[in-house]
Each structure stands twice: as structure tokens, then as C-alpha cells.
Amino acid sequence: MPTSTLSSLALIAALGADPAPSPSPSPSQEALYRALVVREGAPTCAELAPLSPTLVEDLVYLTENAKQPTWVGIRAAECLLTDHQEAALPVIIGWMGRSDAKGFALVAVEKLDRMPIDRAKAVARAGLAGPLAETLRPRIARLPQAELAALATPVAK
Amino acid sequence: MGGKERAAGRCGATAALLMGLGLAGCVPTEGSGKSGDQVSVDGSLRTVRTNETSQNDGIAVVAVDVNAGETSLLLTAQADQLVSVEYIEDPSGDRVFYWEDWYGDYSLTGAIFPEARDMAVNWPVRAADAPLQAGIWYVGIATTNNNGYYVNNVDIDLTLQLKSDDDTSRATVRALVAYADGLADDPEVVAGTEAAVERWAEVWAAAGITLEARFTSTDLDPVLPTMYDGGSAEIRSLAADEGEDNDVMVVIGDSVGNQRNTYGISGGIPGTLVATKRAAVVISWVANAGGDGTFEDADVQLYGETLAHEVGHYMGLFHPVESSYDYWDALDDTPECTNARGCENNLGENNMFPYPVCDFRSCLAQDVITDEQAGVSHRYAGAL
Ligand SMILES: [Zn+2]
């Protein structure tokens, strides 16, 4: 799996609740934005890699700063979830606990089957413990992996 | 298997020759008037259900008996092999459409591509195309396998829908908006979608189309089936149970499964009005709400324009230019541009442009529909 030199600190900074003015997009962030803006048939995550020497950082930037069109941030999140989940794990866990990241959290649940089971369980648990639990619970319960689905199913005492 | 690649197919020409000689071959064995056909009339839409079998050249010839006053034909074919349109011939025997003429830089109909086991073709598409006239038309339907070879003796279920409507300036399109499981209970999704449907109606109103939308909830998995690999039995069942033979179904889910990076897909260009595995436009509400999962005003505008765009595909519209800037639609009033700057300047506000023109914070409204684009929509049999 591709990894990044991105530090967890930088990722956690990207999660900051304080909406400080965003820096202008770099050329690579612009290039990724242009690639992801199409309505249909966007490039795959692998096809994005040549566009940026700092792909994970740039994708995180897009999730936080590309407000329109809405699907650019969603596609950036998907790429983090499928191809860069280890490097982006603090960001992903962060989404699961944020009421203002419901869209990203829903995408994360859909991609749990692309994660090693322990990582997937950690992400799912973060969602079920947070403010989005009501939204995420039925989606997690529907997952084909029994171990994950069980997390959303109340255990009879 | 026919053992013949589709690109070499010339059955239609052979059929015309053999018909002239009074011989068999690709000549239709039976037409839409044969016994056993089911015929129904709903307002200005006449529906005929029939069947046909591909002959020894891998082509089924469907005879369509067009009545006086009928202005559009929507033919839907379903089989257990890939189906695509080969040709269309008018009552005088003139071939008014041949698939290979449109297998290039300009797109007229997606029905030429053997991409699924169902297919819809609408005729005419443009004002420049041969108009329907009373008499027997022939539509050649190719049955091919996944390797692109013609396959013989394939049974095809056919639905012929003929519209009587010579007013191409005003029409009503009925849409069934179906929520996947649980979404109808999410106030954010419902409010955002209803507001987006209003924006969709606004975009279409400028093109003389009145949108009549109704909403329903379903138990479909919110991870929707993609339309790219044949659609799904659930979509066909939903269309059969909840849809009508004169409405377009739009299914709203969280995402479009297994089709990464695509959040709105039309089940064909054009799509069908009857129940097939691809009888829907599928849309991800999450992709239109964004990372925060809420619908702000700008999100609603974009969502509504996306609905108009995707259902525009369903009614037969292509992008005026693809995002590679080297394929175009077949219309004369959408400028032919060849690079990002030129295309965005000329077409960036067109509803069928392949991407919204945005900076990171906002997008241009995309609500322009040209006269010829409106004409394509009005000629779709579902625009009544
Ligand atoms: Zn499109």
C-alpha cells in the first residue's frame, strides 16, 4: 500500500475545528482538483498519483477546502480510504467523530471492506461512539463482514 | 455464434437486396402486428410488446408499423446476449441510420454500443433526422457476445413505444424519484432532494419541459448498483413494481457501488421507459451534499443541475464535448471546441457540459439548454 511521509501532526492540524483561512491551492492541488471535477468517469486513485508528489497531503487538503463541486472532496476521501488509509488513518478516525463530516463518514463505512479487519473495526467503533452513530449504525449493520456488522447489532443480555 | 465480428456486419444491405429479390435471409419473419402482441394505449403513447429472433447473421429485423400522426419511436430490446442497434430503415426502404456512421468522433445514440443485455433506441433524435411517417419501418437489432461476435438465434423481447405529439416546444416528463432504504427517513436527504428537484424543474422549464416528479421509498441497498455492468434485477423489479411505462425512474442512494468515482449514472443514452435492469438514473446524494453531508444552497443548485444533466442523458443527450475535448455531440448549435479554455468559455454554462466550471468555493450555474438539445429531449418518447 502506498504510504506517505505526512506526519500525524499535520493530519490532525488539518482536522482542526478552527476554520483558519486556507492557503491557496498549490499547483498539484489544482491539478488534482481539475482531475476530480468531472461529473462522470473521473480518474482512479492510481491515476491521480502522477499529478502530485505529496498526494496524501493534497487529498486531505481537498477534503477540507474543495467545497464545490461537492464530489471533489468525496472523491479525494475515497482515494484516501482505499489507497492511503494507513497514512490517513487519523483523518479517517476524525471524520467518524465529527457531526460536520457525515458525508466523509458514510464514504468511510462503505469502504470498510477495503481495510484490514482490525483497522475497519477501529473506524467503525469510532463512528458508533460519535454523534453520527444513528446514521452509521444501519449501514454498518448491513455490511457483509459479520464481524463488522456485529458491532452495530445490540447484543442480547 | 455467428463467427463474424460486428464491424464486418452488413446484414441490412443484404436484407434490402434479398427483399428486392423476394428471398428470405434477414427479412423479418414477423412484425409488430403479429398475433400475440400486446398493445396498450396511454394518452399519446402506444405501447406494443412483441418478440423477435436474430437470424443467421446475428441480426433480428423488427418491423414497426407506424401510424399516421406518430412522431417518435422508442424501441427497447432485452435478450440474454448483448443487444445494439444496427440500422433503421424507413417505409420506402431508405436506410436512415447505420451504426457505423456514428461510431466515431460524433455521438448520436448510445444504442450502437453492445454494452448490455438491454438497449433502448429513440427515433428520430434530431430535427435533421428522417421524421417518422406512416408505414412499416425496419429496425435491425444486433445480438453479439462479449467478444464482439454476432450470435444467431437469440430471442429478443421487444417493447415498441410510439408517441403522437407534434409539439416540440412543450412537453411533460414524469419522473419517479425513489429513495433507497432509510433515506426517506433522513430529513436532510429529503429536504435536499426535494429542493434539488425544484432546481431540476427550473432548468428544464426553460427548455419547454414540465417536470412532474413523484417520490417513493424503497428497500434498495443505499449502495446502489452501477448501470455500467448490466444494471441489476433489483432495478428491474423496482421499475416494474413502482414505475409506469411512461415515466423515468431516478434512484437516490448513498453511493453507486463498485463504480468508483462516479456518482450519477444514466442507464443508457437514451434510457428506456419500461422495466429493464438499467431502467434508472442512479444518483449519490452524498456526492452532491459533500463531506459535511448537508445541503447548502450551492449544493442544492448543483444537485438539481446534476439531476437535469443525468436525466438529460437518459432522454438522449450527450455531452456537447467530452472532457478530453475530442468527441462531440451531433448537434449543430453546441459549438465544437477543442480545449479547456475554449470549451468552458463557450459551453461552461450548458447543462450537459461534462463538468461544472468552478473554483474551490463556487460553480457557475449550468442551466443552458440549446434549442437543438431541447429538441432531442422533446423527441424522446417519454416527453409527452
Ligand atoms: Zn454526463
Side-chain angles (χ1 to χ4, degrees):
Chain A
M1 174 176 299
T3 56
S4 161
T5 56
L6 182 66
S7 72
S8 293
L9 274 180
L11 281 167
I12 290 164
L15 284 172
D18 183 21
S22 310
S24 296
S26 68
S28 58
Q29 289 160 352
E30 282 275 4
L32 290 170
Y33 178 86
R34 292 282 310 177
L36 295 175
V37 80
V38 289
R39 288 185 191 277
E40 303 111 350
T44 64
C45 195
E47 288 166 339
L48 294 177
L51 300 179
S52 170
T54 52
L55 185 60
V56 174
E57 290 92 329
D58 287 349
L59 291 170
V60 171
Y61 177 89
L62 292 182
T63 64
E64 294 293 321
N65 294 291
K67 300 300 183 192
Q68 293 291 331
T70 42
W71 48 80
V72 168
I74 296 291
R75 285 182 174 137
E78 283 203 332
C79 187
L80 291 169
L81 283 157
T82 56
D83 289 34
H84 306 283
Q85 55 188 240
E86 187 173 0
L89 193 58
V91 171
I92 295 166
I93 295 283
W95 292 334
M96 307 309 287
R98 277 171 51 187
S99 60
D100 65 347
K102 178 177 165 183
F104 293 139
L106 286 169
V107 176
V109 168
E110 197 208 322
K111 302 298 179 196
L112 288 177
D113 65 345
R114 307 284 289 266
M115 298 181 186
I117 188 67
D118 287 344
R119 185 177 297 154
K121 286 166 98 172
V123 172
R125 283 197 180 103
L128 292 169
L132 297 168
E134 190 184 339
T135 298
L136 302 181
R137 186 176 301 281
R139 271 89 168 175
I140 293 171
R142 206 188 261 273
L143 291 170
Q145 298 91 335
E147 269 188 272
L148 294 174
L151 296 175
T153 308
V155 178
K157 292 185 179 173
Chain B
M1 178 191 293
K4 179 181 60 161
E5 277 190 280
R6 189 187 186 213
R10 292 290 185 277
C11 176
T14 309
L17 174 65
L18 292 177
M19 279 194 285
L21 295 172
L23 300 174
C26 293
V27 178
T29 52
E30 293 172 295
S32 63
K34 64 192 178 188
S35 61
D37 286 358
Q38 296 172 26
V39 182
S40 58
V41 178
D42 179 8
S44 54
L45 195 64
R46 178 169 66 98
T47 298
V48 179
R49 295 180 195 280
T50 184
N51 53 75
E52 199 55 77
T53 302
S54 57
Q55 304 297 302
N56 56 10
D57 54 4
I59 295 173
V61 182
V62 181
V64 183
D65 191 355
V66 175
N67 294 336
E70 291 178 328
T71 52
S72 291
L73 163 69
L74 179 65
L75 179 153
T76 301
Q78 300 181 76
D80 63 2
Q81 297 284 346
L82 302 178
V83 282
S84 54
V85 67
E86 188 85 0
Y87 62 82
I88 299 173
E89 289 176 358
D90 71 13
S92 60
D94 288 340
R95 180 161 296 188
V96 299
F97 174 85
Y98 183 56
W99 73 276
E100 210 165 10
D101 295 339
W102 294 100
Y103 198 76
D105 297 342
Y106 300 91
S107 299
L108 186 69
T109 175
I112 63 170
F113 299 108
E115 59 184 7
R117 288 169 171 73
D118 63 76
M119 176 277 287
V121 61
N122 194 88
W123 192 264
V125 181
R126 306 168 300 171
D129 296 324
L132 281 196
Q133 52 183 285
I136 306 294
W137 289 63
Y138 293 101
V139 181
I141 306 292
T143 52
T144 52
N145 63 19
N146 289 329
N147 297 321
Y149 285 87
Y150 287 96
V151 184
N152 305 333
N153 301 317
V154 177
D155 294 328
I156 307 173
D157 287 329
L158 293 153
T159 306
L160 315 174
Q161 293 180 287
L162 291 135
K163 177 177 78 163
S164 301
D165 176 13
D166 57 6
D167 183 353
T168 56
S169 63
R170 279 189 298 185
T172 297
V173 172
R174 301 178 69 225
L176 172 64
V177 180
Y179 293 108
D181 193 22
L183 300 188
D185 301 324
D186 185 328
E188 183 72 32
V189 176
V190 170
T193 301
E194 289 181 353
V197 168
E198 284 180 25
R199 172 62 179 157
W200 167 17
E202 191 176 77
V203 172
W204 273 16
I209 299 173
T210 301
L211 174 67
E212 268 183 19
R214 62 192 172 100
F215 297 81
T216 189
S217 58
T218 75
D219 58 2
L220 272 186
D221 189 326
V223 180
L224 299 176
T226 175
M227 296 290 104
Y228 284 156
D229 58 5
S232 81
E234 289 82 8
I235 290 292
R236 183 166 58 195
S237 297
L238 182 60
D241 294 345
E242 303 256 354
E244 307 285 346
D245 283 350
N246 60 5
D247 63 5
V248 174
M249 189 165 73
V250 178
V251 184
I252 310 295
D254 289 349
S255 62
V256 180
N258 303 317
Q259 189 63 47
R260 289 175 52 190
N261 294 324
T262 295
Y263 306 121
I265 306 178
S266 166
I269 306 177
T272 181
L273 292 171
V274 298
T276 72
K277 288 184 170 182
R278 297 193 302 155
V281 167
V282 293
I283 299 267
S284 157
W285 73 268
V286 174
N288 285 280
D292 64 4
T294 64
F295 287 103
E296 288 145 39
D297 289 350
D299 303 340
V300 167
Q301 174 173 314
L302 192 68
Y303 188 11
E305 290 165 4
T306 296
L307 287 163
H309 176 104
E310 295 303 335
V311 185
H313 282 314
Y314 204 86
M315 294 171 70
L317 289 170
F318 283 83
H319 298 152
V321 59
E322 294 302 329
S323 52
S324 51
Y325 311 112
D326 54 358
Y327 292 92
W328 301 272
D329 67 17
L331 307 181
D332 288 335
D333 65 353
T334 48
E336 198 169 302
C337 52
T338 55
N339 57 55
R341 180 187 291 264
C343 292
E344 290 175 14
N345 285 342
N346 284 300
L347 290 162
E349 293 171 279
N350 190 286
N351 184 246
M352 295 310 297
F353 198 62
Y355 55 90
V357 178
C358 315
D359 56 25
F360 278 57
R361 299 261 152 205
S362 62
C363 301
L364 291 179
Q366 280 190 319
D367 51 10
V368 172
I369 296 174
T370 69
D371 289 347
E372 290 205 28
Q373 287 176 319
V376 172
S377 299
H378 280 277
R379 284 181 202 91
Y380 181 65
L384 295 164

